[in-house]
Amino acid sequence: MARFSRSIALVVCGAALASCSLTSLDGFSEPPSAAAGDGGDDGANTSSTETGVDAGVDSGMDAGVDTGSPDADAGPFCASRTDSTFCEDFDVPSRPPLPVTRHGGGVDTIDSNAALSAPNALRIDLGPSTTDGDAQAYRTMTMNVTTLPHQVVLEWAIRLDEVASASISAASIAIVQGSNRYEAVVDVGASDLLIEQTFTSAPPASVAHSVPQNRRVQLGTWTRLKMDLTRAGSSWKATLSRDGEVSLADVPLSTWDGISGADSVVFAVGGLYSTASPTPLTFRFDDLAGLVVP
């Protein structure tokens, strides 16, 4: 996938995240089990943000210790994620929604037709399009930090329903330091699963690391992915896992070398970017969990 030029607005999170536990990793990588449960009609978008703009609202998400692998029908996923910096399963109406960005007709809805942990999941619809990057719809979580982390982890479940031959940037972790943005992006599609690393400057530097064909995401089924970024001194490495098994191990993030500090860590999921597609693209997310270790 060609590297793209895009911007994800930053959202400052409030005290709910500032008080989170950031140290324990026990059980963090356990994937959920079982298949998706069916529900009712598509739900309305719960975000109150304007099209194409992230809103500065607190996440209101709980933190606590992961006690193991939850069943898909055992209730809200986040009830069992008690050691994550943040968690979102789209199942608690009272929890403020993650801030959303939409562009070029990209649509996100809270959907109850094919959730992994009942009752809801996040559905993304993009396209059709004739130009790469025409449409976007994604949600973000930004956490202010005072020191450069040693580890940042993002887990999510994804289901690709209609993707044609497109490649989709579906999730990312970014470290922001002043005007610099260091980002690791996971691209998925019918024939893609890769980590793309970038240092956003002018022009951005980009390096891609692809997963073998037999370790990629299958259409029409829920897959759990985890991107684990670790730092030793000034060097960073990335590991990408699918359903609890490593697909890419200790990939060097060369464009991240030498980061001297951080102001914030930004997590994003959805349709961050996609290649052109003559048909609409539809995919879903559920059971997000993120961790920042100082």
Side-chain angles (χ1 to χ4, degrees), residues 151-170:
Q151 185 172 23
V152 186
V153 184
L154 177 62
E155 290 189 65
W156 69 100
I158 187 168
R159 174 172 162 161
L160 305 177
D161 292 318
E162 299 290 341
V163 297
S165 60
S167 183
I168 301 157
S169 293

Side-chain angles (χ1 to χ4, degrees), residues 188-212:
V188 300
S191 60
D192 285 311
L193 178 58
L194 58 90
I195 290 179
E196 193 171 8
Q197 53 169 305
T198 183
F199 164 42
T200 303
S201 55
S206 177
V207 180
H209 306 273
S210 187
V211 171

Side-chain angles (χ1 to χ4, degrees), residues 178-261:
S179 60
N180 294 327
R181 183 184 184 90
Y182 303 83
E183 191 165 22
V185 183
V186 176
D187 294 344
V188 300
S191 60
D192 285 311
L193 178 58
L194 58 90
I195 290 179
E196 193 171 8
Q197 53 169 305
T198 183
F199 164 42
T200 303
S201 55
S206 177
V207 180
H209 306 273
S210 187
V211 171
Q213 181 68 42
N214 63 352
R215 295 298 304 158
R216 295 175 183 172
V217 176
Q218 302 301 308
L219 300 181
T221 186
W222 283 101
T223 302
R224 188 150 188 86
L225 298 174
K226 183 182 76 165
M227 179 164 53
D228 187 342
L229 309 183
T230 57
R231 177 175 65 90
S234 61
S235 297
W236 287 83
K237 293 183 177 180
T239 294
L240 180 64
S241 301
R242 188 196 74 169
D243 292 332
E245 296 184 9
V246 173
S247 296
L248 287 173
D250 294 330
V251 172
L253 297 182
S254 56
T255 63
W256 286 36
D257 287 351
I259 303 176
S260 58

Side-chain angles (χ1 to χ4, degrees), residues 9 33 36 58 120 134 145 158 161 166 189 217 230 233 277:
S33 61
D58 291 347
N120 299 323
D134 268 1
V145 295
I158 187 168
D161 292 318
V217 176
T230 57
S277 172

Side-chain angles (χ1 to χ4, degrees), residues 258-291:
I259 303 176
S260 58
D263 303 317
S264 60
V265 175
V266 184
F267 301 94
V269 299
L272 285 67
Y273 180 89
S274 68
T275 54
S277 172
T279 59
L281 310 178
T282 300
F283 44 105
R284 291 174 169 85
F285 293 83
D286 207 353
D287 298 348
L288 319 178
L291 186 73

